[in-house]
Amino acid sequence: MMKINKILVIIFILISSSFTLFSQNDDNIIRITNTDVIVPDSLVIYNTPGQPRFIKLIIKNDRKNSVKICNIKTPEGFLVSVRDKLIQPLSQTQLFIGIDPKVITDSIAKEKIIIETNLIIPITINIEAKIKK
């Protein structure tokens, strides 16, 4: 099942990038500092039928130590892909979050994506999917 999800994520990313369906703004940055993890309050993905939509986030590691992504807990219907699981000191990586409109049938779905790292506290992303019928 995990391999199928990863394949779907890659296919959706390729399709989405070819149609420039990525939506991003300056608020889509997760910043890891020496004392805190700063995450956007809430991320919203709008989707219309037949058009998968992804949002692109940047995870910035402002620490002098590497941050290792160990596990990503994703609710059913959400797809997550990270470019690098090891974020070097003072560098960044891309994180893509998408929805599968075939699985999420409600017009609004509110969920949490949890990224477990080598840090003490996991990174929690509040996400809301709004699907037009």
Side-chain angles (χ1 to χ4, degrees):
M1 187 66 168
M2 289 299 290
K3 286 185 180 185
I4 292 172
N5 283 343
K6 287 182 182 181
I7 291 170
L8 284 174
V9 168
I10 291 169
I11 291 170
F12 283 142
I13 288 172
L14 291 174
I15 291 170
S16 296
S17 63
S18 66
F19 291 106
T20 62
L21 291 175
F22 291 108
S23 61
Q24 179 178 357
N25 58 43
D26 292 337
D27 295 333
N28 290 358
I29 297 175
I30 298 170
R31 185 174 304 275
I32 302 170
T33 69
N34 287 327
T35 58
D36 203 3
V37 175
I38 303 162
V39 180
D41 290 335
S42 181
L43 298 171
V44 179
I45 301 176
Y46 297 96
N47 196 51
T48 53
Q51 294 183 346
R53 175 75 69 168
F54 286 81
I55 56 174
K56 178 174 124 181
L57 290 94
I58 301 295
I59 302 175
K60 293 182 107 177
N61 178 11
D62 293 336
R63 300 166 48 98
K64 293 182 181 177
N65 301 327
S66 297
V67 174
K68 181 180 179 185
I69 296 175
C70 304
N71 187 29
I72 301 176
K73 295 181 181 178
T74 308
E76 186 176 2
F78 287 84
L79 308 167
V80 177
S81 176
V82 65
R83 180 153 298 187
D84 301 304
K85 288 195 173 194
L86 182 65
I87 310 167
Q88 298 296 330
L90 306 174
S91 67
Q92 64 187 28
T93 191
Q94 296 176 348
L95 176 79
F96 297 93
I97 300 174
I99 56 174
D100 183 352
K102 295 176 185 172
V103 177
I104 298 178
T105 56
D106 296 335
S107 58
I108 296 177
K110 293 182 180 182
E111 295 288 346
K112 292 183 186 299
I113 294 172
I114 299 173
I115 302 172
E116 296 173 344
T117 66
N118 59 332
L119 303 172
I120 295 172
I121 300 172
I123 300 169
T124 302
I125 303 169
N126 294 313
I127 190 133
E128 184 176 325
K130 294 185 178 181
I131 300 176
K132 293 182 181 179
K133 299 289 179 181

